[in-house]
Amino acid sequence: MEKIDKHIKSSKDKDNAKPLDKPEQFLFQLHQIPNFSGRVFCILFQSTFSEWISSILRKLAILQRVCTTLQSGQCVIQVLGLVLAFGNFMNGGNRTRGQADGFNLDILPKLKDVKSSDNTRSLLSYIVAYYLRHFDEDAGRETCLYPLPEPQDLFQASQMKFEDFQKDLTKLKKDLRACNTEVEKVCKVSSEDHLQPFKDKMEEFLSQAKSDLEVQEMQLSDTHKLFLELTVFYQVKAKMGEKEVSPNTFFSVWHDFSSDFKDLWKKENKMILQERLKKAEECFRQAKEKATYSVKPKHASGIKAKLGMKI
């Protein structure tokens, strides 16, 4: 801007002065607006604020969905019930391990490593097959729903930190206060011609932004509480050096288990679909054979037919 101002001053009284190009002219006009840098700061913050809020909201929604499913999802309870039942069955000869009322979550990713005597099948594959064939009426159909939280959701949840959420909200509150200060400053030094619509739009934004931040802080608190209740529900303890169980510690185990489970779930669903198709084809073939098979009419014979008499 210094070079533009210098050029304008030096060519002010010259008849053959070279005019400014459109970009430089545009910048010069913007620079004439009172407290231009303050206005830009406020407008830029307004444009990024909603993105930050939406990002936090999406992440908290994933956490809430995963926590709720793991704690009260009927399908999750059924799958874990099968893990306990088959585990007790396999340890039936052991009075202690064969009559367990529960198990530690860290055993879940290890189920795929427990093999049958002929080493052709894992315990996890048997659990998946049993679940689909005895608990899911839609197995083998397009309407069949995955019973556990999606691996991708669990992975995202494992990467989240409640401290980071709190830092983001604290920074937003700080930037919001700075924006409010700049708005007051701009409105104080601006004339009526340059006051609107900046003043009304920014005041409306500041009011809404303050409300959004309060909602986000409450939602963060509720989500944190929901997560801690989940860790207590599964009796997971914090690792050494942790004040409380972290999302990474808890959800990493579930992510590994869900990833293995889904791979086998897809294969078993495909197998059940093929069985259904084969059964449908066989029923169709039998129905077709039955429709084409005809019985020849039996012609009357004997003395009764020849005499045409009623007996």
Side-chain angles (χ1 to χ4, degrees):
M1 281 306 302
E2 291 180 3
K3 291 183 178 181
I4 295 176
D5 288 336
K6 187 176 180 180
H7 173 78
I8 292 174
K9 290 178 181 179
S10 62
S11 59
K12 189 174 183 181
D13 299 326
K14 294 180 181 180
D15 296 331
N16 58 344
K18 187 178 180 180
L20 291 173
D21 288 337
K22 288 187 177 180
E24 287 77 10
Q25 188 176 356
F26 176 71
L27 285 175
F28 178 73
Q29 290 175 343
L30 287 178
H31 191 62
Q32 301 308 303
I33 300 174
N35 209 313
F36 174 70
S37 59
R39 292 171 183 264
V40 171
F41 170 80
C42 295
I43 294 172
L44 288 177
F45 176 70
Q46 181 184 17
S47 65
T48 57
F49 179 83
S50 58
E51 294 177 8
W52 276 99
I53 288 293
S54 297
S55 176
I56 296 173
L57 182 62
R58 284 194 300 270
K59 292 176 182 178
L60 291 180
I62 291 173
L63 269 176
Q64 290 174 347
R65 182 169 66 249
V66 169
C67 289
T68 302
T69 302
L70 289 179
Q71 185 162 354
S72 57
Q74 184 63 30
C75 296
V76 175
I77 294 172
Q78 291 171 341
V79 170
L80 295 180
L82 288 176
V83 173
L84 179 62
F86 288 128
N88 281 336
F89 178 78
M90 293 177 66
N91 296 315
N94 188 313
R95 291 185 178 180
T96 304
R97 298 177 63 188
Q99 299 177 10
D101 295 324
F103 55 86
N104 292 327
L105 286 183
D106 56 9
I107 200 176
L108 293 177
K110 302 175 184 177
L111 296 177
K112 67 177 186 299
D113 300 323
V114 181
K115 303 292 183 179
S116 58
S117 56
D118 59 0
N119 206 37
T120 59
R121 194 171 193 183
S122 68
L123 175 59
L124 182 59
S125 68
Y126 188 80
I127 291 173
V128 172
Y130 194 93
Y131 171 81
L132 281 170
R133 295 176 184 275
H134 294 82
F135 288 89
D136 197 333
E137 297 179 352
D138 293 325
R141 297 188 176 95
E142 292 183 358
T143 52
C144 183
L145 300 177
Y146 185 59
L148 302 177
E150 288 290 340
Q152 181 62 24
D153 285 349
L154 289 165
F155 175 76
Q156 290 187 51
S158 71
Q159 302 303 303
M160 298 178 194
K161 297 179 181 179
F162 287 104
E163 311 91 80
D164 291 343
F165 286 123
Q166 193 60 57
K167 287 178 182 177
D168 289 342
L169 290 178
T170 300
K171 185 179 183 305
L172 282 175
K173 288 174 69 176
K174 181 181 178 181
D175 290 345
L176 184 62
R177 286 195 297 269
C179 181
N180 186 68
T181 301
E182 285 296 329
V183 169
E184 291 177 352
K185 189 186 299 183
V186 170
C187 293
K188 187 176 181 180
V189 300
S190 297
S191 62
E192 288 294 330
D193 294 339
H194 297 101
L195 194 59
Q196 299 296 350
F198 177 83
K199 183 176 182 297
D200 289 347
K201 287 187 177 296
M202 292 309 303
E203 286 180 349
E204 181 182 356
F205 160 70
L206 290 171
S207 176
Q208 185 62 48
K210 183 180 178 181
S211 176
D212 289 344
L213 272 176
E214 291 174 353
V215 171
Q216 286 297 309
E217 286 181 324
M218 290 180 59
Q219 200 160 7
L220 175 59
S221 177
D222 292 343
T223 305
H224 191 194
K225 182 180 178 182
L226 182 64
F227 171 72
L228 292 179
E229 289 175 351
L230 181 66
T231 61
V232 172
F233 178 79
Y234 282 103
Q235 298 183 7
V236 177
K237 297 181 180 179
K239 289 182 178 180
M240 188 174 295
E242 289 183 342
K243 293 182 179 180
E244 60 184 37
V245 181
S246 67
N248 184 265
T249 297
F250 184 82
F251 291 119
S252 292
V253 174
W254 278 102
H255 169 255
D256 294 342
F257 175 62
S258 183
S259 297
D260 297 332
F261 194 99
K262 189 162 189 177
D263 289 340
L264 294 168
W265 180 81
K266 287 179 179 179
K267 293 177 182 177
E268 191 66 26
N269 248 319
K270 187 176 180 180
M271 190 181 300
I272 294 173
L273 174 60
Q274 292 173 346
E275 292 173 4
R276 288 181 181 276
L277 290 174
K278 189 175 180 181
K279 185 177 180 180
E281 289 173 356
E282 181 63 22
C283 291
F284 178 75
R285 186 186 64 78
Q286 292 178 1
K288 188 176 181 180
E289 288 180 355
K290 187 176 181 180
T292 55
Y293 180 75
S294 60
V295 180
K296 294 182 179 180
K298 188 175 181 181
H299 298 289
S301 60
I303 298 174
K304 179 181 175 183
K306 291 179 181 179
L307 297 177
M309 298 174 60
K310 291 183 180 180
I311 300 177

